[in-house]
Amino acid sequence: MSLPTDQFAIPATQKAWRIHRRGTPATALVLDENLPVPTPAKGEVLVKVQAAALNPIGYKLMRQLPNFLAKRPHVAEHDFAGIVVNENGTEFHKGDPVFGCILYQQQTKTRQGSLAEYVTLPAEHLALRPANITPTQAAGVPLVTLTAYQALFEFAKLEPGQSLFVNGGSTSVGAAAIQLAKSIGCKVTTTTSSRNEEFVKSLGADVVIDYTKESPYKVLERDPPTPKFHAILEAVGNIDIPLYTHCEAYLAPGGIFVSVGPQPSRIGEVPSFLAYAFSAGLHPAWLGGTKRKWRNLFVKNKHEDLQRIADLISEGKFKPVVDSVYSFQDILKAYERIMSKRATGKVIVEVEPGTD
Ligand SMILES: NC(=O)c1ccc[n+]([C@@H]2O[C@H](COP(=O)([O-])OP(=O)(O)OC[C@H]3O[C@@H](n4cnc5c(N)ncnc54)[C@H](OP(=O)(O)O)[C@@H]3O)[C@@H](O)[C@H]2O)c1
C-alpha cells in the first residue's frame, strides 16, 4: 500500500485518552495532548492508529483497583486498526494496514492502549487487515473474535457438524461465536431479546430463544436438543449460574461449559458472588455438583488465531459487526453507548479523523 510520505513522519508527541484515576469514564479519563510517541523495541512495530474499539473490560477496569495496582496512568482500551509506520526489522512493511489488540497484561506493562494516535507492540500481536474490510470494521474484530475463537476451538474443540449453545448471541463475543461455528458447519442455538432475533438469524443462528420471556435454562430443560449440545459458550458475562447447574439436561456428557465471566464489576463483589455461586449449587462434581466441565476463559494474544480470523474475513466467511462510530473527542458518548449494554456490534472510535 502506498501512502503520502508525510503519513510516515513520526511526531515526537501524540494525543491519547489516558486513565488517570479509578472511576467512571467521565472522572477517570484525561485527554493527554503531549504524550511521547513510543519507540518500538526489538521485535515490535510502530503503528499509526486509525480506529479503536471499546470493550466492556475497558470501563470495568476503570472502576477497579487503586492506581498503584492498576499501574495508572495508562492509555485506555485494547483493540485497533492502523498503518505500520516503523516496521523495525520485522516481517511487516511500512504502510501495511494492520489490526490487533493490546491486552490487559501488555497494557499495564507498557502503559499503552488503543485510544492513542500511535502504539508499539510485538509484531506477532498483529495481522494484516483483510482488503475487504475498512479500518473501522477491523478495529472491532480482535478482542471479541479471539475470545470466541479460543472458546470454540481451543477449549471446546468444536468440530464440523457438532452443536453449540451460545448464551448471548447478540453480544459481540456471541455474534463472533455464531459466525465461527457456522463457518465449520455447526448447528447453533442462541439467546437474545426479540429486538435482535433477526440479527442473530442473519449471522446463521438456527434456533433462537428470547431470554426476556423465560430463563433459557428452563426452556432448554423442558425441550432439550437431540443430540445434546457439544458445548455451551456463556457470552453475556453476567454469569447465569442455573444455566450451568441444570446443564446435564442439555449438555452432552464430556461436553464443556465455557464462560467469559464472571467478571464482577467491583472487587468487593467477589465474596458475594462466591456465596451466591455456592448457594446456587455451583460446586465441584465430587461435592455433588454438576457433572459437566466448566472453564473460565481469559483471551490471549495468539498470532495464528488472529491470522485464521483474518483469513475467514478474506474468504467472506466472517463479517465484522459495527454498532456505531464516534469521533475521538466524543469519547464519553462512545462509553455511554457501550455501557448501555444495548449496543449490537462494536462501538468504534475514529482516532484518525475521516477514517473509513
Ligand atoms: N473473559 C474474556 O477474555 C472476555 C473477553 C471479551 C469479553 N468478555 C466479556 O464478555 C461479555 C460480553 O462482551 P461483549 O463485548 O460481547 O458485549 P456487548 O457487545 O457490549 O454486548 C451487548 C449486547 O448484549 C446483549 N445482552 C445484554 N444482556 C443480555 C442477556 N442477559 N442475555 C443475552 N444477551 C444480552 C444485548 O442484546 P439485547 O439488547 O438483545 O439483550 C446487546 O446486544 C462482557 O461481560 C465482557 O466483559 C470477556
Side-chain angles (χ1 to χ4, degrees), residues 55-57 60 143-144 147 168 170-173 191-193 195-196 211 235-237 260 263 297-299 338 341-344 346:
N55 279 284
I57 188 74
K60 289 179 188 178
L143 196 148
V144 293
T147 304
S170 66
T171 67
S172 300
V173 173
T191 64
T192 188
S193 70
R195 82 181 179 97
N196 279 319
Y211 75 88
V236 178
V260 297
Q263 296 180 327
L297 182 143
F298 296 97
V299 62
I338 191 168
K341 298 186 179 166
R342 295 278 83 82
T344 302
K346 296 302 299 179

Side-chain angles (χ1 to χ4, degrees), residues 51-297:
L54 304 189
N55 279 284
I57 188 74
Y59 67 78
K60 289 179 188 178
L61 287 173
M62 262 181 226
R63 50 195 196 200
Q64 288 177 3
L65 301 177
N67 272 7
F68 74 100
L69 287 176
K71 306 247 171 72
R72 301 186 188 107
H74 62 70
V75 180
E77 294 299 333
H78 310 278
D79 276 328
F80 65 88
I83 298 287
V84 172
V85 288
N86 181 355
E87 71 282 17
N88 196 31
T90 65
E91 73 272 26
F92 287 101
H93 300 97
K94 208 171 275 190
D96 276 348
V98 288
F99 68 142
C101 60
I102 299 170
L103 293 180
Y104 178 62
Q105 299 79 350
Q106 186 82 3
Q107 183 181 45
T108 48
K109 191 168 131 202
T110 64
R111 310 275 174 127
Q112 295 193 64
S114 60
L115 286 179
E117 291 175 297
Y118 292 88
V119 292
T120 58
L121 73 167
E124 72 260 22
H125 293 178
L126 290 169
L128 287 175
R129 167 169 59 83
N132 56 345
I133 59 168
T134 64
T136 303
Q137 291 174 308
V141 169
L143 196 148
V144 293
T145 317
L146 284 169
T147 304
Y149 189 93
Q150 289 164 11
L152 268 45
F153 302 124
E154 188 181 323
F155 283 40
K157 308 206 181 320
L158 201 65
E159 286 177 8
Q162 290 184 327
S163 81
L164 171 75
F165 176 63
V166 178
N167 194 40
S170 66
T171 67
S172 300
V173 173
I178 295 172
Q179 295 196 66
L180 293 172
K182 294 310 292 183
S183 77
I184 61 159
C186 289
K187 182 176 177 189
V188 180
T189 300
T190 193
T191 64
T192 188
S193 70
S194 54
R195 82 181 179 97
N196 279 319
E197 188 176 334
E198 286 313 311
F199 168 66
V200 296
K201 283 185 177 162
S202 75
L203 301 175
D206 301 283
V207 181
V208 182
I209 297 170
D210 184 345
Y211 75 88
T212 63
K213 292 204 174 122
E214 190 178 4
S215 292
Y217 83 89
K218 289 189 181 162
V219 178
L220 292 170
E221 207 170 35
R222 193 173 55 240
D223 188 13
T226 316
K228 291 179 182 177
F229 300 121
H230 173 75
I232 293 177
L233 171 60
E234 199 304 295
V236 178
N238 294 335
I239 189 119
D240 183 345
I241 289 173
L243 185 67
Y244 173 66
T245 53
H246 290 252
C247 76
E248 284 170 40
Y250 40 83
L251 180 60
I256 185 170
F257 186 106
V258 184
S259 172
V260 297
Q263 296 180 327
S265 54
R266 287 167 206 276
I267 212 78
E269 288 171 15
V270 171
S272 58
F273 165 74
L274 289 177
Y276 167 61
F278 202 81
S279 68
L282 184 69
H283 41 265
W286 55 269
L287 281 180
T290 311
K291 292 180 190 59
R292 295 291 182 272
K293 199 191 297 175
W294 163 304
R295 280 195 69 187
N296 262 91
L297 182 143

